[in-house]
Amino acid sequence: MERCGQKYLTAVVKRLGPLTRNYYVRAVLHLLLSVPAGFLLATILGTVCLAIASVIYLTAAIRGEQWTPIEPKPKERPQVGGTIKQPPSNPPPRPPAEARKKPSEEEAAAVGGAQVNPIPVTDEVV
């Protein structure tokens, strides 16, 4: 996933080549930038941050890490004809499978064509 503005910096780093891709170069650059900032009290926190970044880059370089750009992969679109095996026979919305089953002749005769209420209903007038 690309962050905001990352594609522009990626293009710059790719054009500068091994000078910016190598973490040893980045570690030395951060260390050199932190030296002049250390002479002013107002920038001492920035000096510490640059020195820590230099140590982090140096550790990554010793471990053999190297910057590589994250290239967006082209999305493969599935072919519409290849994914559909057989088009549906009923248009949506479809009733549930139980409702789609046709009752057999025996069930229709037993019921008598009308639905039977399983709960007895009594009409009690108060």
Side-chain angles (χ1 to χ4, degrees):
M1 188 71 168
E2 201 173 76
R3 291 180 291 214
C4 181
Q6 186 174 356
K7 63 181 174 182
Y8 306 113
L9 286 174
T10 301
V12 170
V13 172
K14 282 170 77 174
R15 287 187 186 247
L16 292 177
L19 182 65
T20 55
R21 207 173 296 143
N22 191 341
Y23 282 171
Y24 284 113
V25 174
R26 287 187 183 191
V28 170
L29 180 68
H30 279 80
L31 191 62
L32 291 175
L33 286 173
S34 70
V35 171
F39 293 112
L40 295 173
L41 186 60
T43 58
I44 214 66
L45 186 59
T47 302
V48 172
C49 290
L50 284 171
I52 290 172
S54 176
V55 170
I56 292 171
Y57 274 124
L58 186 63
T59 306
I62 290 170
R63 291 184 179 174
E65 295 181 24
Q66 187 176 4
W67 181 84
T68 53
I70 299 173
E71 302 284 335
K73 296 178 183 175
K75 295 179 182 177
E76 294 182 16
R77 302 177 102 190
Q79 295 179 354
V80 176
T83 58
I84 300 174
K85 304 294 182 214
Q86 182 179 1
S89 57
N90 292 340
R94 297 177 189 87
E98 297 83 32
R100 281 187 271 153
K101 280 198 297 187
K102 295 179 181 176
S104 64
E105 291 179 16
E106 296 172 359
E107 291 176 1
V111 173
Q115 294 183 353
V116 177
N117 190 354
I119 302 172
V121 178
T122 58
D123 188 20
E124 295 179 16
V125 179
V126 179

